[in-house]
């Protein structure tokens, strides 16, 4: 694979910036819960570089995302949010999905603006409801998430209901009418902009101490792409057994996915995840085995997931290959110390081995990241992904340099 001097130079520049002393933590100051009106913002400046052996040119995208929202609290449990987002791009040396620059590798961060969220909610002691365009995050986002890594966020036109009959039990039901995807409203492919849905999500969780049990049924009907419709039933158990911050943790999950509603295909696939962890002196190591079944003609899919968070940061497997996917991985994360700059500089590293459910090997991938809070609400990140093909795709490397500033400000005093 080619090694680009621009990628190495950019990495060095951010690493130098991150070595500067941090003035404060990245925690956004909290506001009184009763503030009737507040402004919220999330500004993210990012440079992404891609070296893909399938292309003669590297891709480079420098983008700035600004998300602004007004959150209102009306009392008696009522609240609302109106939020817009805009993305500006400093260049067009990448294929955004909207600019037609197919001579470059894809970086799905097109410039443009959109309505991100607009919802009305009521929350009581036991029952809550939200109506409108909203962010939905279920469990670890494996099945339903917001794809928050991309500059445009994935949001849903939905009705979300929540019932808490006990402090330890939460039951959620969500009906989805439409999903607004990360490719933005100007994507050349209309199906990459949004999809019409008739999707029912049921999720029931029970928490006891440091453990959680979840059962779910996700009945997903895609009215625009019938072959994407599926029904998934599953269960998830996660927990920790730490003493003085040290000890084991675990996540076990199993699911079965079948064809559903308007899907003309007939299939049934299994999913499982086994992920034991061990935390020692602030460092958490993990082993993982994630299985997405496939039969050579069709495979288990997770079209509403936060896909970047799974199966490596290089995004080779956003669509599961027809032969399925076995992702066996090892990783670790922590900080370089317990105080001072070392106590703020966080690191993570992981290695993935990818194979088909039935058949040969796909390839392998290394991931690594450094992150550091610079000021209150301001974070810096350096992130790398290096995929080496062995039967699937081509060698590919990515580097990201990012600054993100989040905050909120009361516009009217607390009652």
């Amino acid at each position: 694979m080619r090694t680009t001097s621009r990628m190495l130079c950019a990495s060095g520049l951010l690493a130098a910036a991150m070595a500067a002393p941090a003035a404060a933590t990245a925690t956004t100051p909290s506001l009184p819960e009763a503030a009737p009106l507040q402004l919220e913002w999330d500004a993210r400046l990012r440079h992404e570089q891609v070296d893909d052996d399938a292309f003669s040119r590297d891709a480079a995208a420098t983008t700035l995302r600004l998300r602004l929202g007004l959150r209102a609290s009306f009392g008696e449990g009522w609240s609302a949010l109106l939020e817009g987002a805009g993305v500006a791009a400093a260049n067009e040396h990448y294929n955004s999905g909207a600019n037609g620059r197919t001579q470059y590798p894809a970086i799905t961060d097109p410039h443009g603006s959109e309505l991100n969220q607009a919802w009305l909610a009521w929350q009581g002691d036991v029952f809550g409801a939200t109506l409108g365009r909203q962010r939905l995050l279920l469990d670890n986002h494996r099945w339903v998430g917001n794809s928050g890594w991309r500059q445009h966020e994935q949001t849903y036109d939905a009705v979300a209901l929540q019932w808490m009959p006990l402090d330890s039990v939460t039951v959620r039901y969500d009906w989805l009418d439409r999903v607004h995807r990360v490719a933005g409203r100007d994507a050349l492919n209309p199906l990459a902009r949004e999809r019409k849905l008739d999707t029912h999500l049921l999720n029931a969780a029970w928490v006891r101490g440091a453990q959680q049990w979840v059962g779910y049924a996700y009945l997903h009907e895609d009215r625009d792409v019938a072959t994407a419709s599926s029904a998934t039933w599953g269960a998830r158990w996660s927990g920790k057994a730490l003493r003085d911050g040290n000890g084991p943790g675990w996540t076990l999950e199993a699911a079965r996915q079948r064809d559903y509603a308007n899907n003309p295909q007939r299939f049934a696939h299994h999913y499982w995840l086994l992920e034991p962890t061990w935390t020692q002196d602030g460092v958490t190591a993990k082993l993982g085995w994630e299985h997405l079944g496939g039969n050579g003609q069709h495979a288990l899919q997770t079209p509403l997931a936060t896909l970047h968070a799974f199966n490596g940061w290089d995004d080779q497997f956003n669509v599961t290959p027809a032969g399925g996917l076995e992702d066996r991985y090892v990783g670790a994360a922590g900080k370089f110390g317990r105080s001072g700059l070392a106590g703020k500089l966080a690191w993570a590293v992981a290695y993935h081995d990818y194979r088909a459910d039935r058949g040969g090997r796909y390839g392998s991938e290394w991931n690594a990241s450094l992150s550091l809070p610079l000021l209150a609400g301001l974070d810096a990140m350096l992130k790398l992904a290096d995929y080496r093909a062995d039967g699937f795709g081509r060698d590919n490397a990515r580097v990201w340099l990012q600054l993100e500033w989040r905050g909120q400000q009361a516009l009217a005093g607390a009652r």
Side-chain angles (χ1 to χ4, degrees), residues 134-148 153-158 174-182 191 193-202 217-223 228-230 232 257 300-310 318-320:
Q134 57 191 282
R135 178 184 298 125
L136 292 177
L137 309 173
L138 296 183
D139 299 324
N140 65 339
H141 309 187
R142 193 358 142 189
W143 302 101
V144 181
N146 67 329
S147 294
E153 186 177 19
Q154 180 167 277
T155 59
Y156 305 84
D157 294 345
D174 304 294
W175 176 71
L176 313 184
D177 176 67
R178 194 179 300 259
V179 56
H180 303 273
R181 309 181 73 198
V182 298
L191 295 176
R193 303 172 193 166
E194 60 181 41
R195 300 276 185 89
K196 296 178 182 178
L197 310 177
D198 184 10
T199 296
H200 304 268
L201 309 175
L202 181 63
Y218 301 146
L219 309 180
H220 173 59
E221 180 178 354
D222 189 321
R223 292 182 171 180
S229 298
S230 64
T232 305
Q257 185 177 91
L300 181 142
Q301 304 292 340
T302 61
L304 302 181
T306 297
L307 294 167
H308 181 76
F310 300 91
N318 284 349
V319 176
T320 311

Side-chain angles (χ1 to χ4, degrees), residues 31-39 70-75 78-80 409-415:
L31 292 172
E33 293 183 5
L37 186 65
Q38 66 183 38
L39 176 69
L70 283 174
R71 185 182 299 268
S73 298
F74 307 113
W78 290 95
S79 62
Q409 176 64 51
L411 299 181
R415 292 184 297 275

Side-chain angles (χ1 to χ4, degrees), residues 260-342:
Y260 175 70
N262 58 341
N263 197 326
Q265 301 175 318
R266 295 294 177 263
F267 58 86
H269 301 300
H270 292 284
Y271 171 88
W272 66 72
L273 172 67
L274 307 175
E275 189 181 271
T277 67
W278 186 274
T279 300
Q280 190 70 39
D281 297 328
V283 175
T284 299
K286 64 182 178 181
L287 296 172
W289 179 19
E290 187 179 38
H291 169 94
L292 293 84
N295 57 20
Q297 297 180 337
H298 186 277
L300 181 142
Q301 304 292 340
T302 61
L304 302 181
T306 297
L307 294 167
H308 181 76
F310 300 91
N311 310 132
W313 295 337
D314 196 57
D315 293 337
Q316 289 287 326
F317 301 99
N318 284 349
V319 176
T320 311
L325 176 63
E326 295 269 348
D327 180 5
R328 303 176 187 183
Y329 55 92
V330 58
K335 295 184 178 180
F336 285 98
R338 298 195 176 190
S339 61
L341 176 62

